[in-house]
Amino acid sequence: MAMKLTPYEQEMLDGKHGEAKQFAMRAMIKIGEPLGAEEFVEVVSVQAMAHFGSLHIAGRDYMRKLACMGGKCCVPCTQDPASIPWDTWEEMGYDREYAANQMDLCKSVMQLGEYHAWSCTPYVQGNVPRVGQNVAWAESSAVSYANSVLGARTNRTPAGLAVCAALTGRIPKFGLYFDENRKAQVKVVVDAGELSDLDYNTIGIIIGKRVGNYIPAIYGIPASTTNENLKYLGACAASSGSVALWHAVGVTPEALHGDPFEGREPVMEFTITREMLTETEKSLCTKNPGEVDLYVTGCPHSSVAEIVKLHELMKGRRVRKDKDMWIFTTAEACNMMRRSGVVGELEAAGVRMMVQTCLVISPLVGNGKYKTLITDSGKNASYLPSEHGIELIYASMEKCVEAVTEPV
Amino acid sequence: MAEKIILHGRALAPGVVEGEALVSKESLVWSHGVNPPTGRIVDVRVAVCGQCVKDKILVYPLGKGSTASATWILENTRCGNAPKAFLNRETELIILTGAVLSTELYGATIPVVDRLDQNPDEVIETGDWVKVDGDRGIVEITKKSV
């Protein structure tokens, strides 16, 4: 059935507002109609993608084409981390042609009017939709956060489609844009005593593996939990499965009051115990780790509070000569922590700030320099070994710091 | 005469093609899972690792993983290494976006059909000859002779 368009949407499709909007509308209709969308929703923001590591030459040319067509974003549009650190790629030995392609992509999306955000955590950069607002976000961890923690609405918007939403302020209405598709389907009880930061990652990994793309309602998460813990839980469930929305009963906005199942029986039910957490932690480590040569943290990007925690742990310690420590974070958090004096001290202790970029999508790991990584990110642990063929140890921030540092 | 099976499903992306099936019982991740310059599956977690998707009727249950996957499909198309068609139990937005953008930007025809009356990853085996009608949602399977 043909999608019903408003007069303005019809004008965009007819090319009255430029070639780029026309291209975007046509593509979105070709995707929305067969999926059963009857109309578009207006979105208040977009999280797009413009990292060369995933867009490749095809995506670079696509963004160039939209920019040449005169495309302009009509809602705030941020994008995932870049595949290179803008200021340090050269000294770190990134390939020149690869970097040039990333810079080409940057030029195109800036021309389109995207913000120079380059983070998987747009929700700490001012791209913060309210409960019930529609957005079109890419980045599975950000989708999870927007839906679950903020109570905004988005499907898992693919790279390449998100930019169409940014150019038009529209996305086909289906899936999680409907109230009735947001109810809990699986009951998960967390019964594992006091939860550490790492536990939230592990809980997410277990949930993603068990529930696939169902919507879980999680019982047993304390209301005092931090946004960072919820960020990791969601990012991990999205990387080991395809969870785009989850509810933590008594914690997240759509599960504060009433029954998250609305009277329907859960399709599945399970309990996460301490034994399961311990077992899963072990399973996330690869079989033959050697001596650790690199600690990576900040997947998704480290917040200010996480940098402060790491700074505390680094008091009186420094990174060993034969090892490295990288913190992946936003330009905003790095800037604030630099002004606070924290980044200066961390750098003096041998820590490298990796700003506006990401390890998972960078070409740096897997080139032979680093063989065994240690990380406190479950998302890193579930992606890196398969994607970059490296050995990995998954452990708490405390253990990670210990593994690559020594007393001053 | 070889056995023929006809399945009906939801037509998501148009076009009529035929070719040899490559079937994965496990869900595939395109992002870092398929190498565009070669079309080879490089995800070590799946049994079809090492197989080439180029010109295959690619059959697998569901999409999962990164939302970046659509542009990985698009790059496979640019490199001439895209599959001929996608058949899934439930096609994800990521796959459909990859197929539609391949048409819009490179003129490629990659029909996509899902919600068939039987699970395609159970009925179809690697090596079967499969005709996909993405206009009408019809799949015709000729079992490979044994």
Side-chain angles (χ1 to χ4, degrees), chain A residues 239-315:
Chain A
S239 63
S240 69
S242 305
V243 179
L245 166 63
W246 47 276
H247 305 294
V249 177
V251 180
T252 57
E254 288 170 75
L256 282 181
H257 313 287
D259 171 17
F261 294 91
E262 286 209 335
R264 279 177 283 193
E265 281 297 308
V267 295
M268 195 199 307
E269 197 173 327
F270 61 92
T271 300
I272 297 178
T273 60
R274 177 55 56 187
E275 290 68 39
M276 281 164 76
L277 290 177
T278 309
E279 196 182 305
T280 306
E281 245 174 68
K282 276 191 203 135
S283 76
L284 284 165
C285 301
T286 55
K287 296 278 179 292
N288 304 301
E291 180 74 9
V292 172
D293 27 44
L294 174 66
Y295 164 35
V296 288
T297 190
C299 176
H301 273 172
S302 289
S303 68
V304 163
E306 290 171 273
I307 298 172
V308 168
K309 181 183 169 187
L310 192 75
H311 180 243
E312 285 297 315
L313 293 171
M314 283 297 290
K315 286 256 164 78

Side-chain angles (χ1 to χ4, degrees), chain A residues 97-324:
Chain A
E97 192 184 323
Y98 187 96
N101 280 318
Q102 179 61 77
M103 287 186 270
D104 188 316
L105 264 163
C106 179
K107 190 174 154 215
S108 295
V109 299
M110 290 306 114
Q111 211 175 321
L112 292 173
E114 294 187 12
Y115 301 166
H116 201 279
W118 305 104
S119 175
C120 43
T121 60
Y123 45 84
V124 298
Q125 298 178 294
N127 186 351
V128 193
R130 292 192 303 273
V131 173
Q133 286 191 308
N134 295 315
V135 297
W137 282 18
E139 170 52 41
S140 60
S141 73
V143 166
S144 171
Y145 197 93
N147 275 320
S148 315
V149 182
L150 301 178
R153 294 162 178 225
T154 180
N155 288 313
R156 285 158 42 84
T157 316
L161 182 61
V163 68
C164 295
L167 294 173
T168 58
R170 304 289 193 283
I171 194 86
K173 185 176 186 182
F174 70 98
L176 294 176
Y177 294 112
F178 285 100
D179 275 348
E180 61 266 33
N181 296 335
R182 300 179 63 86
K183 303 303 170 205
Q185 298 163 307
V186 174
K187 184 175 176 182
V188 182
V189 178
V190 178
D191 182 12
E194 202 182 320
L195 300 173
S196 69
D197 292 343
L198 193 72
D199 288 337
Y200 282 89
N201 286 266
T202 317
I203 289 168
I205 294 285
I206 294 172
I207 289 175
K209 277 193 181 147
R210 292 273 188 115
V211 312
N213 58 0
Y214 280 126
I215 300 167
I218 311 164
Y219 293 75
I221 303 292
S224 59
T225 194
T226 63
N227 285 344
E228 285 81 3
N229 284 336
L230 299 179
K231 168 182 80 175
Y232 285 113
L233 192 163
C236 291
S239 63
S240 69
S242 305
V243 179
L245 166 63
W246 47 276
H247 305 294
V249 177
V251 180
T252 57
E254 288 170 75
L256 282 181
H257 313 287
D259 171 17
F261 294 91
E262 286 209 335
R264 279 177 283 193
E265 281 297 308
V267 295
M268 195 199 307
E269 197 173 327
F270 61 92
T271 300
I272 297 178
T273 60
R274 177 55 56 187
E275 290 68 39
M276 281 164 76
L277 290 177
T278 309
E279 196 182 305
T280 306
E281 245 174 68
K282 276 191 203 135
S283 76
L284 284 165
C285 301
T286 55
K287 296 278 179 292
N288 304 301
E291 180 74 9
V292 172
D293 27 44
L294 174 66
Y295 164 35
V296 288
T297 190
C299 176
H301 273 172
S302 289
S303 68
V304 163
E306 290 171 273
I307 298 172
V308 168
K309 181 183 169 187
L310 192 75
H311 180 243
E312 285 297 315
L313 293 171
M314 283 297 290
K315 286 256 164 78
R317 303 187 74 84
R318 64 171 175 231
V319 178
R320 285 174 46 171
K321 283 261 175 309
D322 56 339
K323 301 179 191 302
D324 286 309

Side-chain angles (χ1 to χ4, degrees), chain B:
Chain B
M1 200 46 196
E3 184 196 357
K4 268 195 180 160
I5 303 167
I6 311 279
L7 301 178
H8 297 263
R10 178 169 71 156
L12 291 175
V16 181
V17 298
E18 55 187 298
E20 205 180 292
L22 173 62
V23 182
S24 172
K25 300 274 182 204
E26 297 149 300
S27 295
L28 297 182
V29 179
W30 280 76
S31 166
H32 299 278
V34 182
N35 183 33
T38 61
R40 279 194 192 284
I41 297 169
V42 291
D43 185 345
V44 294
R45 294 167 294 192
V46 295
V48 291
C49 184
Q51 301 281 324
C52 184
V53 301
K54 178 184 162 77
D55 294 337
K56 293 285 166 36
I57 307 295
L58 189 59
V59 184
Y60 59 101
L62 305 161
K64 68 168 188 176
S66 168
T67 50
S69 290
T71 45
W72 285 76
I73 296 175
L74 190 64
E75 178 70 357
N76 268 270
T77 303
R78 190 190 71 84
C79 295
N81 292 328
K84 272 191 175 166
F86 286 94
L87 300 177
N88 308 109
R89 293 186 190 191
E90 186 77 28
T91 294
E92 225 205 354
L93 188 53
I94 286 164
I95 299 168
L96 185 55
T97 299
V100 168
L101 289 179
S102 293
T103 306
E104 295 298 302
L105 294 166
Y106 294 99
T109 299
I110 308 179
V112 181
V113 180
D114 77 346
R115 297 187 184 172
L116 294 149
D117 32 28
Q118 293 181 67
N119 287 334
D121 53 291
E122 287 169 356
V123 179
I124 307 171
E125 291 167 279
T126 294
D128 289 350
W129 191 258
V130 180
K131 188 174 169 189
V132 179
D133 181 341
D135 301 335
R136 296 184 299 160
I138 299 171
V139 175
E140 187 183 297
I141 304 150
T142 309
K143 301 302 286 182
K144 66 181 167 195
S145 39
V146 277

